[in-house]
Amino acid sequence: MFTVMMILFNKDFNYQVGGFALSTIAWILCITSMGLPQWRVWYLKEAAISYPSVAFVGVWKTCLYHYDNSSNIRTCYQYSYYDTFIPLDIRISQHLLLITSIFWLIGKVATIVALRNVYRGRQEQNATHNAFGLSAILNIIASSFVFLAVLCNYFSIVNKEGIAFPPSFHMPLYPHNQKAGAAMGVAFLSAVLFLFSGVIFISSTVPLNIVDFPDI
């Protein structure tokens, strides 16, 4: 009983739990950004439509919106990991985000093991420190991978690069104008939270010096 109370009031232990929570939120945001098409917003001009069409170009799909005075038509096209028309920046983003999910899963297991050792008052210092250290390294790497995915797409927007979509997508090679979408913001926030989580695991001290008092 006293051991549990000492752990709960230990600031370092609370930091570790907070780092675990941050990494979980970061992973959720990362997965969410992968499923969103709004990585790049393309503005297209079509003579047959009174207003410019808008296309959302994501990591795994593209959605095209046609606007007129009376309706809003949405058409989405999925593309897989093996499609040959996918440009290098999107291909790199697919790799980076998938590897990030794997790293997070390994780091999550390591963090759970370390927190369990601390909660049970075990004095396995090397094992616990190594588990937190592994989780910290993986979270920082995950942060850099997500940030690189954001940078790849951002530089493609800045350089006004086009995409040679297949004819079935009904998409031009280049948009009239393009900008960063909301999914890039979600991914960037994920990278920041991954980084904070890794820094917390590195900077905070694991509360190993716990004395187990018998119940009275």
Side-chain angles (χ1 to χ4, degrees):
M1 179 64 181
F2 283 98
T3 301
V4 174
M5 293 299 295
M6 291 179 66
I7 292 175
L8 291 178
F9 284 102
N10 190 293
K11 182 173 65 174
D12 294 324
F13 179 79
N14 292 333
Y15 283 158
Q16 301 290 2
V17 174
F20 176 80
L22 284 180
S23 68
T24 303
I25 297 173
W27 175 77
I28 293 174
L29 292 175
C30 178
I31 294 298
T32 301
S33 68
M34 290 176 62
L36 293 174
Q38 295 96 332
W39 280 77
R40 308 182 202 174
V41 181
W42 282 22
Y43 295 98
L44 316 172
K45 282 191 175 181
E46 299 182 13
I49 302 177
S50 57
Y51 295 99
S53 296
V54 176
F56 293 153
V57 180
V59 178
W60 296 104
K61 67 180 177 181
T62 294
C63 291
L64 183 63
Y65 293 81
H66 296 278
Y67 297 97
D68 58 27
N69 293 326
S70 59
S71 64
N72 180 7
I73 303 173
R74 172 184 174 180
T75 306
C76 290
Y77 302 95
Q78 299 280 346
Y79 41 90
S80 70
Y81 180 80
Y82 301 100
D83 287 331
T84 57
F85 69 87
I86 298 176
L88 181 61
D89 53 282
I90 292 181
R91 182 77 68 189
I92 292 175
S93 298
Q94 290 177 342
H95 281 85
L96 292 175
L97 295 177
L98 289 175
I99 295 173
T100 295
S101 297
I102 297 174
F103 280 3
W104 174 83
L105 181 61
I106 299 173
K108 182 181 179 68
V109 173
T111 305
I112 291 175
V113 171
L115 290 175
R116 185 185 63 179
N117 289 342
V118 174
Y119 183 79
R120 293 183 176 180
R122 295 181 178 178
Q123 302 299 317
E124 302 169 358
Q125 296 189 15
N126 290 334
T128 304
H129 277 294
N130 291 338
F132 277 125
L134 174 62
S135 181
I137 293 173
L138 291 177
N139 276 281
I140 292 175
I141 294 176
S143 172
S144 63
F145 279 8
V146 177
F147 186 65
L148 283 175
V150 173
L151 281 182
C152 286
N153 285 271
Y154 177 76
F155 285 134
S156 296
I157 295 172
V158 172
N159 296 329
K160 299 181 179 180
E161 297 180 3
I163 301 176
F165 289 106
S168 60
F169 279 40
H170 305 288
M171 290 276 291
L173 178 60
Y174 295 97
H176 176 71
N177 191 18
Q178 60 179 311
K179 68 176 184 179
M184 288 182 61
V186 175
F188 180 78
L189 179 59
S190 170
V192 172
L193 294 182
F194 271 128
L195 179 60
F196 283 170
S197 175
V199 171
I200 287 174
F201 286 140
I202 289 178
S203 61
S204 59
T205 303
V206 182
L208 293 174
N209 298 323
I210 301 173
V211 179
D212 193 359
F213 295 97
D215 294 335
I216 300 176

